[in-house]
Amino acid sequence: MKAMYYEAFGATPEIRVLPDPAPSRNGVVVKVEATGLCRSDWHGWMGHDPDIRLPHVPGHELAGTVLAAGKGVSRFKPGDRVTVPFVSGCGHCHECRSGNQQVCEAQFQPGFTHWGSFAEYVALDFADQNLVPLPDSVSFATAASLGCRFATSFRAVCDQAKVKGGEWVAVHGCGGVGLSAIMIAAALGARPIAIDISEEKLAFARTMGAVAAVNARAVADVAEAVREISGGGAHASIDALGSQVTAFNSIANLRRRGRHVQVGLMLGAEATPQIPMAQVIGHELEIYGSHGMQAWRYDAMLAMMAAGTLKPERLIGREISLAEAVPALVAMDQATDLGISVITRF
Ligand SMILES: [Zn+2]
Ligand SMILES: [Zn+2]
């Protein structure tokens, strides 16, 4: 199979022909039809993720067709259109049995713990527990965009922040996660405030449902700007970028008893942010992490898509080839693209 491959962190990946994968007993091999390019792939390539062993094939936001299934797989067969959450649970640990596969103790993550989907084929373990059948109405490119950023934002907004209609929701960073969070919060009837340093991204965020926008470069104090717009602070706030500055602002801009959700990964130099802990105590703020979403929660998200309430396809920016994904991955931390890039040609 053709795949994107690297032997050293930070060295430019190559497109190589590698042996085709075979399914494990409880796994499948999926022919990849579409796979999204994500900042987490860049973090992995930079060596920020301790789960990655070299050499490596990245890629974790995928959709495709089942090509082969192991003997222990009963729910899926060759030809099935599927997608998968980027965190797949083992199905047996305490967390999986409690329905929290997104924090499984023995999780399978394509593109991190195992070779991923920047390839013609990808092997996925624990198939019965984690694969999500795709309705014909959902294209592969749209489905690929769900697996990480959109699904993660769905959990962050709906399940962790528990956003309700009428609430102010600050969203820091208007990349794929942020724009998804804005669309989802708006669909729930909340009032999203978009925060970014790019006027172009803020304008795009308004088309996704943001009712106000703050250019973090144009104001002296982002938290103060959010408090002013929302009449006292956001009810919920999401750091969709993952930096010391955005994490701090996302907590500082909350109203009393507000909820902060950290979605953007805090890796490398950003790993230990300052937190305004006096405000957390005095105002009884709640701080949550959000890490992927369980396969069983896809039903709610797919139902909102079928109803036309959520339109994740609007977040797709460019469809690119596997070869074009190499320079795109390497430059990911400098990316100025609007929306998500999806590999659809191999
Ligand atoms: Zn588990
Ligand atoms: Zn991702």
Side-chain angles (χ1 to χ4, degrees):
M1 67 172 182
K2 253 200 282 181
M4 188 192 294
Y5 172 94
Y6 55 81
E7 289 180 342
F9 295 121
T12 304
E14 303 167 32
I15 305 299
R16 279 223 191 166
V17 176
L18 300 172
D20 290 347
S24 65
R25 189 181 149 71
N26 295 312
V28 296
V29 169
V30 167
K31 179 178 187 300
V32 182
E33 304 284 358
T35 178
L37 199 60
C38 173
R39 201 175 157 87
S40 308
D41 299 310
W42 178 85
H43 277 301
W45 170 70
M46 285 293 288
H48 296 161
D49 192 313
D51 288 333
I52 295 179
R53 274 160 308 193
L54 297 170
H56 189 61
V57 173
H60 60 280
E61 307 182 353
L62 70 117
T65 311
V66 174
L67 188 77
K71 284 194 165 55
V73 177
S74 60
R75 290 181 55 219
F76 297 91
K77 59 180 189 316
D80 287 351
R81 300 171 84 244
V82 294
T83 188
V84 68
F86 81 92
V87 177
S88 290
C90 70
H92 304 293
C93 73
H94 174 79
E95 299 302 339
C96 282
R97 288 201 308 270
S98 74
N100 287 296
Q101 291 86 348
Q102 79 283 3
V103 289
C104 168
E105 293 166 15
Q107 53 194 254
F108 174 94
Q109 294 186 22
F112 298 101
T113 63
H114 292 72
W115 281 11
S117 55
F118 290 174
E120 289 178 282
Y121 306 111
V122 63
L124 302 172
D125 277 350
F126 314 135
D128 279 342
Q129 290 90 349
N130 296 288
L131 294 193
V132 177
L134 275 184
D136 287 338
S137 57
V138 179
S139 75
F140 287 121
T142 301
S145 76
L146 299 178
C148 168
R149 285 165 281 195
F150 202 83
T152 297
S153 296
F154 191 87
R155 175 166 169 74
V157 172
C158 299
D159 296 350
Q160 298 294 78
K162 297 188 172 62
V163 166
K164 293 181 281 294
E167 290 189 327
W168 289 100
V169 180
V171 178
H172 297 258
C174 295
V177 169
L179 292 170
S180 304
I182 287 166
M183 184 192 289
I184 294 159
L188 296 174
R191 289 176 283 183
I193 303 170
I195 299 128
D196 204 286
I197 56 173
S198 153
E199 282 297 333
E200 205 184 2
K201 287 188 176 178
L202 290 172
F204 192 44
R206 283 185 186 273
T207 71
M208 294 293 154
V211 298
V214 175
N215 186 329
R217 288 227 169 111
V219 296
D221 183 336
V222 168
E224 189 52 45
V226 170
R227 270 196 292 273
E228 202 161 295
I229 291 166
S230 57
H235 297 87
S237 185
I238 290 168
D239 176 11
L241 179 69
S243 78
Q244 305 215 23
V245 171
T246 49
F248 182 92
N249 286 340
S250 179
I251 298 167
N253 69 193
L254 289 170
R255 71 176 55 208
R256 289 163 194 263
R257 295 190 44 84
R259 297 95 67 193
H260 161 78
V261 185
Q262 187 64 42
V263 184
L265 298 178
M266 302 293 284
L267 298 171
E270 307 297 331
T272 50
Q274 287 204 333
I275 291 175
M277 202 50 96
Q279 188 186 347
V280 172
I281 298 164
H283 292 181
E284 287 199 348
L285 306 183
E286 296 178 57
I287 298 183
Y288 297 93
S290 201
H291 186 243
M293 187 174 81
Q294 313 92 315
W296 61 266
R297 281 292 281 156
Y298 271 60
D299 281 0
M301 187 169 68
L302 290 167
M304 287 177 77
M305 287 165 59
T309 322
L310 293 177
K311 297 186 169 71
E313 66 277 7
R314 291 186 57 206
L315 297 171
I316 296 174
R318 292 195 298 155
E319 295 196 13
I320 60 176
S321 71
L322 187 61
E324 288 167 340
V326 173
L329 172 72
V330 169
M332 195 85 207
D333 63 324
Q334 316 286 342
T336 52
D337 289 355
L338 288 178
I340 295 172
S341 294
V342 181
I343 303 167
T344 50
R345 299 187 305 278
F346 294 85

